[in-house]
Amino acid sequence: MPIIGKGDIATVIRDGGLDKDKFTFFCSGVSNSSELRESEYQREIDLLLSQDRAMHLVYFSSLSIFYANTLYTRHKLFMESLVKSEFPYYTIIRMGNIVWGEKNPHTLINFIRNKIRNRELFEIQDVYRYVIDEEEFLHWINLIPPWPCELNIPGRKMKVKDIVKEYCYPWGKSDGTVEHEREMMCSSI
């Protein structure tokens, strides 16, 4: 089971005890949704096209293709079309934000965790995002069929402020009150 990449998704797949010998898991795409360097996008294209066409390719895309129009989402759509045209057997997985791992500082949760850890101000947008935990992720990965398909794995729909409360405090959950957050920050010093 080839796993292309070394990040948080690749690590979970590698350690997840999966029985997917005829699959190539392509976990080495552009992971920073704010990326502007064309070279990073081209690197992903070149790496994808170097994969064995005889294997069932699993490509990780993003649910953000449904609600954002950015360089990153346009690239993800292009990569999806490339996967469909170049690989006879494929699975395209569109998923939300992962809640595990610390390798990628650009994930929503790690970005916020780092801001909190460094006591930097940041804006919490009043928007919904989707989060997925490791257990649910592996559940769906184990269900990938041998035929070409596309899977949307949204996980939980949550307001960003609720994601912050539940997942982003390195010293425990917040109850949402300013007093409690200050107390938690002071007790972590």
Side-chain angles (χ1 to χ4, degrees), residues 59-111:
Y59 179 77
F60 294 94
S61 188
S62 172
L63 290 172
S64 64
I65 66 166
F66 296 119
Y67 58 82
N69 181 15
T70 64
L71 180 60
Y72 174 80
T73 56
R74 289 188 300 273
H75 171 74
K76 286 296 187 185
L77 287 167
F78 173 75
M79 292 300 291
E80 287 187 17
S81 68
L82 199 57
V83 167
K84 292 176 192 177
S85 67
E86 294 288 328
F87 294 86
Y89 299 100
Y90 63 85
T91 298
I92 294 170
I93 295 179
R94 297 181 198 100
M95 53 191 265
N97 295 277
I98 63 172
V99 300
W100 71 86
E102 295 184 0
K103 293 181 181 181
N104 183 351
H106 303 293
T107 65
L108 173 66
I109 290 173
N110 286 340
F111 172 81

Side-chain angles (χ1 to χ4, degrees), residues 63 67 95-98 108 128-132 153-158 163:
L63 290 172
Y67 58 82
M95 53 191 265
N97 295 277
I98 63 172
L108 173 66
Y128 286 99
R129 290 294 178 256
Y130 297 89
V131 296
I132 183 167
I153 308 174
R156 290 174 57 198
K157 179 182 176 184
M158 298 178 72
I163 293 170

Side-chain angles (χ1 to χ4, degrees), residues 141-158:
I141 296 299
N142 274 311
L143 294 178
I144 296 173
W147 56 84
C149 72
E150 299 175 32
L151 294 174
N152 294 333
I153 308 174
R156 290 174 57 198
K157 179 182 176 184
M158 298 178 72

Side-chain angles (χ1 to χ4, degrees), residues 18-41:
L18 302 174
D19 183 23
K20 299 283 183 189
D21 290 339
K22 294 181 171 61
F23 290 73
T24 296
F25 289 90
F26 190 83
C27 311
S28 189
V30 173
S31 61
N32 179 358
S33 62
S34 299
E35 183 62 66
L36 297 175
R37 293 172 295 173
E38 284 294 328
S39 60
E40 287 300 300
Y41 294 107

